[in-house]
Amino acid sequence: MGSVLEKSLAIVELLVDYPEGLPVSAIAQATDQPASGVHRTLQELTRLGYVRQAQAHGDYALTIRMSAMGLGFLGRAGITDVAQPVLDRLAAECGELIRLSIIDGDDLIWVAVAQGGTRGLRYDPGQEQGVVVHLASAAGGLAWLSTMGDDEALTRVSRQGLIREADNSGSKAPQTLTELLARLSETRERGYSIAVDSYLVGMAAMAVPIRYRGGDTVIGCLSIAGPTARLDPAWMADYAGMLKDAAAELGDAALGFRYFSCNSGLLAKAAG
């Protein structure tokens, strides 16, 4: 592995998935670093307040400092203040999970959710804020890819990987680039993406892109997700208009403009 910073970030990114903490040996093995070096890095991260040790000689876990910084950034960027009321209203109207993702460089990242399901079977993914969306299998990823030309879409998918490497991956995700391109074509024609048993087994989702003030610049995606038993094609068709209206509202409200204006590529595209 490379620099000290790269090694430190690898440890932080690993601990995000283990809120209960991990021992030094497990961290060293997972990040392919010497245990002695991992221990020194953890000691420094502990001193700086980003990591805590449950007890003497115990596991190491992240503190909430990193999360608080992320939430503070989203708030000051104007993302959560503008988005959350729209997400909450849409969740209440459709009774399912609503997720907002935004573009950050070459990635699409989930940043906010609203749960509309209050009883019975519902999809509850846990903590997904800050997770990079897998483009080829998630509804939000397909919605974003559908706004690009095929060559650009294939480049992004090839960079990330066509297959989502996770135990709970859905079996109906695209397995070839040809199949992926066919789904993108269907998404463009339909006006929204559909992912059934694709990102997760038993989950169905639909998504649309969010365009900055109704123009060509895509700044994120908005999705509805829930159990496949409820979100069938007819249900999605009924709620497609509502989802598009909410996405347009977010785009018209200049969702996160202070954040996106710092991204020269998006800013130049919007200005053009």
Side-chain angles (χ1 to χ4, degrees):
M1 189 169 284
S3 67
V4 173
L5 178 58
E6 186 178 359
K7 294 176 181 178
S8 300
L9 289 176
I11 292 172
V12 170
E13 290 174 355
L14 173 67
L15 291 178
V16 166
D17 293 327
Y18 296 92
E20 73 283 0
L22 286 174
V24 171
S25 58
I27 297 172
Q29 181 177 5
T31 61
D32 193 24
Q33 300 182 46
S36 58
V38 168
H39 185 262
R40 286 194 299 270
T41 300
L42 289 169
Q43 290 297 306
E44 186 67 7
L45 289 171
T46 299
R47 183 184 69 82
L48 295 172
Y50 293 103
V51 168
R52 61 177 173 80
Q53 191 174 18
Q55 57 186 2
H57 308 295
D59 294 351
Y60 286 87
L62 293 180
T63 67
I64 65 170
R65 183 170 183 176
M66 192 76 72
S67 300
M69 289 170 62
L71 292 172
F73 168 75
L74 292 176
R76 285 187 289 275
I79 295 173
T80 52
D81 289 345
V82 172
Q84 200 61 53
V86 178
L87 304 187
D88 291 341
R89 185 175 68 248
L90 182 59
E93 289 172 342
C94 71
E96 302 294 350
L97 182 79
I98 309 302
R99 290 189 289 191
L100 168 68
S101 54
I102 62 170
I103 298 169
D104 183 22
D106 292 327
D107 293 323
L108 186 66
I109 300 177
W110 278 309
V111 298
V113 301
Q115 177 61 266
T118 58
R119 59 185 179 180
L121 184 64
R122 69 178 188 176
Y123 170 54
D124 191 352
Q127 180 59 259
E128 281 192 336
Q129 287 92 324
V131 172
V132 175
V133 178
H134 187 256
L135 302 180
S137 63
L142 294 172
W144 185 31
L145 292 173
S146 73
T147 67
M148 312 170 190
D150 285 350
D151 288 344
E152 182 182 357
L154 290 178
T155 297
R156 291 186 182 276
V157 169
S158 296
R159 184 184 302 125
Q160 187 187 54
L162 176 65
I163 307 300
R164 176 172 172 261
E165 300 295 340
D167 293 339
N168 56 358
S169 295
S171 60
K172 296 183 179 179
Q175 299 298 304
T176 66
L177 295 178
T178 300
E179 185 179 354
L180 173 66
L181 290 178
R183 295 200 187 186
L184 296 184
S185 178
E186 294 170 357
T187 297
R188 296 182 187 112
E189 182 176 353
R190 189 190 304 115
Y192 57 93
S193 67
I194 289 178
V196 179
D197 289 325
S198 178
Y199 184 75
L200 289 176
V201 176
M203 186 198 80
M206 60 187 296
V208 296
I210 301 170
R211 299 182 183 272
Y212 176 64
R213 292 180 174 171
D216 294 331
T217 303
V218 178
I219 59 177
C221 293
L222 187 64
S223 66
I224 302 175
T228 56
R230 284 200 301 269
L231 273 65
D232 58 21
W235 188 100
M236 292 184 184
D238 287 342
Y239 282 92
M242 186 181 297
L243 179 62
K244 292 177 182 178
D245 288 345
E249 184 177 353
L250 292 173
D252 289 342
L255 168 65
F257 179 68
R258 280 173 288 172
Y259 167 72
F260 290 106
S261 65
C262 295
N263 185 313
S264 57
L266 284 173
L267 183 60
K269 186 176 179 182

